[in-house]
């Protein structure tokens, strides 16, 4: 494609990531595209194009063809983003691997995806070498660090190969429908499922972020603190390439220094989720808090009771957004609705490319105001679950993607999130939303955050257990369980008040910073142990 044509090509005409990278290089050349804070390294849009060309040549020379899978097991370093984009240029597929995985779970992802190669670093090389001997499809191991040790047969020095590779565009062409990721879900209810995500999927998210709020542009500085094996930094990269914005990548989320980095880089936009906003507020207030340029914060699951406090402390608007790995970006609060929805828990209305319904167990729409399952329809969702047609068919039955989330819609079309369908606790025939109980407990001034799970019970089927993390300086003596029981009893139906209460210093979390309830449930065979039993009035 001619230079002039690429520069003038409207974003909505871009159909693949290769074209997007080349267009970004033409439009914003020597402007910084990516900054990796931990490495003090910045990469311009032109360098992104050239470096991904070099990596693409290395991959092609080592036998990686269109459609073949390459795993990446790296922390938040430049090679992760650049290798992913290089795979996009040759029509190959990335399989991100959680850096906390060990032999059992890492092997499953690599083996199930039939990855032909993996790009990793020295710290994970012993693990990958073990797996390599057990997975027949894994032919090639690339290490981004200097290779040390005697057993390096079949391991290639990735950095050296890239440095000597040409930076000319690789041959070939890719299309919107070409697969780019097999992105495995966290697997809270069984083995992880691989979401098949195309070029069109990623571009749809980026185009939304440019053409709809937050309306990213080349004057913006974005920031991400999530791990790159999770999808958020990935859509941040594509959004930067689509808009000309700079993206700052942190090594991970550090509550104590997060806003310091926001100020350092003059960040104007970031996305966060899970317990991140709560942990931010846990940090001591500073006179510097409001000295930032942030104009838009997107967040999934903003704690309603903290929403106003978050905005007042840092002087920036927080917008609720809803999306899934399977579907991309789906629902959000729009700027014109922001003020009236602060603290309501509303997740907004569907984005332009999405339709949403609330349905019952028979997939029939329920009346406005009634809780049901949230289902979605629209272009550029995942192509399905890799090698799992049954799960794909079940998820997309009737032409709508079934989110597994419970929600309700008001008479004006605003959607309110209730909780995960599979996180409903059923006590004596009553359905209890774990997230509803959690929201009430978090209203107590001594509570930092909380997670509720079901406990099997011979009489009532299930009872509710609350894991509580108190605010700094508080203890179970200053905030005893009896006080929390009384607090909940004034705000919830009696059957929703947790029977069991366990105090924790922290809670396990998933890569997306959500509480890993499946880990809590598997910690002990009897979940009543180490808990206060409000019915018996004893510690078990």
């Amino acid at each position: 494609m001619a230079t002039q044509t690429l520069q003038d090509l409207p974003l909505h005409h871009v159909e693949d990531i290769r074209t997007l990278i080349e267009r970004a290089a033409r439009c914003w050349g020597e402007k910084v595209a990516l900054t990796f804070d931990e490495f003090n390294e910045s990469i311009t849009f032109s360098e992104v194009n050239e470096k991904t060309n070099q990596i693409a040549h290395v991959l092609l020379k080592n036998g990686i063809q269109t459609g073949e899978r390459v795993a990446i097991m790296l922390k938040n370093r430049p090679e992760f983003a650049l290798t992913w984009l290089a795979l996009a240029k040759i029509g190959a597929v990335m399989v991100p691997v959680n850096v906390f995985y060990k032999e059992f779970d890492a092997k499953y992802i690599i083996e199930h995806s039939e990855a032909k190669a993996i790009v990793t670093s020295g710290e994970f090389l012993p693990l990958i070498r073990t797996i390599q001997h057990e997975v027949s499809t894994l032919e090639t191991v690339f290490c981004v660090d200097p290779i040390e040790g005697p057993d390096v047969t079949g391991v290639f020095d990735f950095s050296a190969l890239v440095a000597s590779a040409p930076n000319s565009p690789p041959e070939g062409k890719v299309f919107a429908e070409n697969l780019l990721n097999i992105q495995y879900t966290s697997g809270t209810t069984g083995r992880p499922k691989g979401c098949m995500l195309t070029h069109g999927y990623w571009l749809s998210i980026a185009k939304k972020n440019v053409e709809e709020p937050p309306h990213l542009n080349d004057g913006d500085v974005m920031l991400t603190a999530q791990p790159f094996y999770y999808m958020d930094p990935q859509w941040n990269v594509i959004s930067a390439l689509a808009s000309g914005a700079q993206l700052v990548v942190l090594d991970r989320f550090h509550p104590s220094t997060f806003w310091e980095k926001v100020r350092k880089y003059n960040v104007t936009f970031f996305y966060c989720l899970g317990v991140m906003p709560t942990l931010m507020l846990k940090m001591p207030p500073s006179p510097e808090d409001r000295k930032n340029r942030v104009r838009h914060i997107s967040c999934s699951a903003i704690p309603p009771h903290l929403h106003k406090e978050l905005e007042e402390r840092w002087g920036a608007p927080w917008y609720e957004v809803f999306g899934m790995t399977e579907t991309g970006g789906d629902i959000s609060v729009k700027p014109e609705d922001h003020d009236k929805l602060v603290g309501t828990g509303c997740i907004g209305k569907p984005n332009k490319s999405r339709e949403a319904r609330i349905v019952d167990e028979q997939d029939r729409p329920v009346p406005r105001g009634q809780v049901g399952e949230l289902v979605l329809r629209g272009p550029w969702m995942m192509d399905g679950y890799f090698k799992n047609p049954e799960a794909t068919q079940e998820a997309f039955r009737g032409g709508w993607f079934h989110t597994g989330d419970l929600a309700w819609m008001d008479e004006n079309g605003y959607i309110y999130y209730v909780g995960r369908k599979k996180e409903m606790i059923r006590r004596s025939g009553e359905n209890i939303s774990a997230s509803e109980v959690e929201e009430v407990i978090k209203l107590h001034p001594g509570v930092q955050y909380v997670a509720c799970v079901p406990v099997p019970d011979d009489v009532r089927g299930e009872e509710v257990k609350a894991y509580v993390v108190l605010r700094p300086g508080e203890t179970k003596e200053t905030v005893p369980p009896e006080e929390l029981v009384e607090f909940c009893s004034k705000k919830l139906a009696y059957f929703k008040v947790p029977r069991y209460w366990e105090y924790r210093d922290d809670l396990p979390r998933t890569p997306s910073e959500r509480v890993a309830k499946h880990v809590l449930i598997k910690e002990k065979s009897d979940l009543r142990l180490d808990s206060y039993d409000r019915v018996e009035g004893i510690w078990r």
Side-chain angles (χ1 to χ4, degrees):
M1 188 173 289
T3 299
Q4 189 62 37
T5 306
L6 263 178
Q7 279 183 300
D8 295 339
L9 183 66
L11 180 60
H12 64 271
H13 286 166
V14 177
E15 295 186 354
D16 64 88
I17 304 303
R18 175 173 179 158
T19 303
L20 185 76
I21 299 167
E22 293 169 347
R23 173 183 179 269
R26 296 295 187 186
C27 290
W28 299 292
E30 300 312 305
K31 182 178 183 294
V32 172
L34 305 173
T35 296
F36 289 81
D37 175 73
E38 182 183 9
F39 297 88
N40 194 28
E41 180 176 348
S42 290
I43 306 169
T44 67
F45 286 94
S46 290
E47 289 170 336
V48 168
N49 189 38
E50 293 168 1
K51 289 175 183 288
T52 53
N53 283 344
Q54 290 179 291
I55 295 173
H57 281 294
V58 170
L59 295 169
L60 288 169
K61 189 174 181 179
N62 283 274
I64 303 302
Q65 303 297 322
T66 298
E68 291 186 322
R69 274 77 65 191
V70 175
I72 300 181
M73 191 175 191
L74 292 171
K75 291 182 177 178
N76 283 12
R77 52 192 296 167
E79 293 89 347
F80 197 124
L82 296 173
T83 301
W84 179 49
L85 296 175
L87 290 166
K89 283 190 169 181
I90 63 174
V93 183
M94 177 182 76
V95 181
V97 181
N98 189 317
V99 298
F100 294 106
Y101 281 179
K102 300 302 180 185
E103 185 175 347
F104 179 81
D105 35 18
K107 178 187 173 185
Y108 174 77
I109 299 296
I110 295 168
E111 190 169 47
H112 185 267
S113 66
E114 301 173 16
K116 187 174 181 179
I118 188 167
V119 179
T120 190
S121 58
E123 64 182 307
F124 307 117
L125 195 55
L127 168 65
I128 299 305
R129 294 292 284 155
T130 300
I131 293 172
Q132 185 181 19
H133 299 306
E134 301 176 359
V135 179
S136 60
T137 61
L138 187 58
E139 299 174 358
T140 307
V141 177
F142 295 108
C143 184
V144 301
D145 296 322
I147 301 171
E148 299 177 358
D151 185 20
V152 293
T153 307
V155 179
F156 296 91
D157 187 326
F158 192 65
S159 299
L161 291 174
V162 172
S164 61
N167 63 10
S168 57
E171 293 184 4
K173 187 170 177 58
V174 289
F175 303 94
E177 65 272 18
N178 283 139
L179 198 60
L180 179 51
N181 287 51
I182 299 179
Q183 191 85 20
Y184 283 83
T185 59
S186 56
T188 57
T189 56
R191 284 294 185 94
K193 296 192 289 287
C195 301
M196 296 189 288
L197 312 179
T198 63
H199 285 241
Y201 168 98
W202 292 108
L203 279 167
S204 71
I205 299 175
K207 289 175 181 179
K208 182 268 167 193
N209 286 333
V210 173
E211 297 164 359
E212 300 178 51
H215 292 295
L216 295 173
N217 59 72
D218 58 10
D220 278 311
V221 179
M222 307 162 62
L223 181 142
T224 185
Q226 286 91 295
F228 245 106
Y229 51 80
Y230 187 62
M231 68 176 290
D232 294 336
Q234 297 173 41
W235 67 250
N236 273 263
V237 167
I238 303 301
S239 295
L241 292 169
S243 65
Q246 177 186 355
L247 173 63
V248 177
V249 181
L250 303 184
D251 62 328
R252 62 186 180 93
F253 176 65
H254 302 277
S256 60
T257 58
F258 181 84
W259 280 93
E260 177 185 316
K261 299 295 185 182
V262 168
R263 292 187 291 271
K264 174 182 176 180
Y265 291 106
N266 290 313
V267 170
T268 61
F269 168 88
F270 66 82
Y271 168 81
C272 64
L273 76 171
V275 299
M276 293 169 73
T278 303
L279 293 175
M280 290 179 194
L281 283 174
K282 189 177 179 181
M283 298 299 104
S286 164
E288 303 293 309
D289 282 341
R290 280 178 164 258
K291 295 179 181 178
N292 63 74
R293 293 183 58 234
V294 179
R295 65 173 182 84
H296 191 116
I297 300 168
S298 292
C299 182
S300 296
I302 302 171
H305 66 291
L306 298 178
H307 196 160
K308 186 177 180 181
E309 184 181 353
L310 287 162
E311 297 203 346
E312 289 178 345
R313 177 158 171 183
W314 285 287
W318 288 63
Y319 293 89
E320 183 74 45
V321 295
F322 175 91
M324 302 179 68
T325 304
E326 288 88 340
T327 59
D330 306 301
I331 301 167
S332 60
V333 170
K334 311 304 185 286
E336 61 268 23
D337 295 324
H338 169 269
D339 292 354
K340 68 182 179 183
L341 295 177
V342 170
T344 65
C346 179
I347 61 175
K349 291 184 177 181
N351 299 328
K352 289 179 180 178
S353 62
R354 288 288 178 267
E355 295 177 71
R357 276 185 182 176
I358 312 297
V359 301
D360 62 16
E361 294 290 339
Q362 285 73 46
D363 290 337
R364 298 172 302 200
V366 302
R368 296 289 175 102
Q370 185 173 317
V371 174
E373 183 176 4
L374 173 64
V375 297
L376 301 165
R377 182 167 67 181
W380 298 119
M381 294 183 178
M382 72 167 181
D383 274 6
Y385 295 114
F386 186 61
K387 298 197 298 191
N388 197 338
E390 296 82 7
T392 301
Q393 186 174 2
E394 175 65 15
F396 282 103
R397 64 185 184 274
W400 293 80
F401 179 78
H402 290 66
T403 65
D405 288 302
L406 296 173
W408 60 277
M409 184 184 294
D410 71 14
E411 59 184 15
N412 296 312
Y414 294 99
I415 299 171
Y416 293 78
Y417 184 84
V418 174
R420 289 294 294 169
K421 189 176 181 181
K422 292 180 180 178
E423 285 186 9
M424 293 300 285
I425 301 169
R426 191 166 179 82
R427 180 186 184 277
S428 297
E430 296 282 1
N431 286 323
I432 303 169
S433 165
S435 63
E436 179 189 29
V437 179
E438 290 163 358
E439 285 304 318
V440 168
I441 298 172
K442 284 189 287 188
L443 291 173
H444 189 284
V447 173
Q448 191 69 53
Y449 46 95
V450 63
C452 292
V453 303
V455 175
D457 186 85
D458 293 337
V459 176
R460 297 177 178 84
E462 291 177 335
E463 287 279 14
V464 184
K465 177 176 181 177
Y467 289 85
V468 177
V469 177
L470 298 174
R471 288 186 178 273
E474 302 285 3
T475 67
K476 63 183 179 182
E477 284 73 35
T478 61
V479 186
E482 295 90 344
E483 180 179 323
L484 294 175
V485 169
E486 182 181 0
F487 181 82
C488 288
S489 299
K490 293 177 180 178
K491 297 180 181 296
L492 289 170
Y494 75 93
F495 59 84
K496 296 181 181 180
V497 178
R499 175 171 178 173
Y500 303 105
W501 299 79
E502 181 173 337
Y503 291 83
R504 301 288 288 263
D505 293 330
D506 200 359
L507 296 175
R509 291 191 285 276
T510 68
S512 56
E513 290 297 334
R514 292 182 172 89
V515 175
K517 294 186 180 181
H518 61 294
V519 174
L520 292 172
I521 290 171
K522 292 178 180 179
E523 276 184 349
K524 42 189 128 177
S525 58
D526 187 348
L527 291 176
R528 299 173 299 174
L529 296 178
D530 306 314
S531 302
Y532 174 77
D533 182 340
R534 71 170 175 86
V535 175
E536 300 291 336
I538 60 171
W539 286 90
R540 290 184 173 271

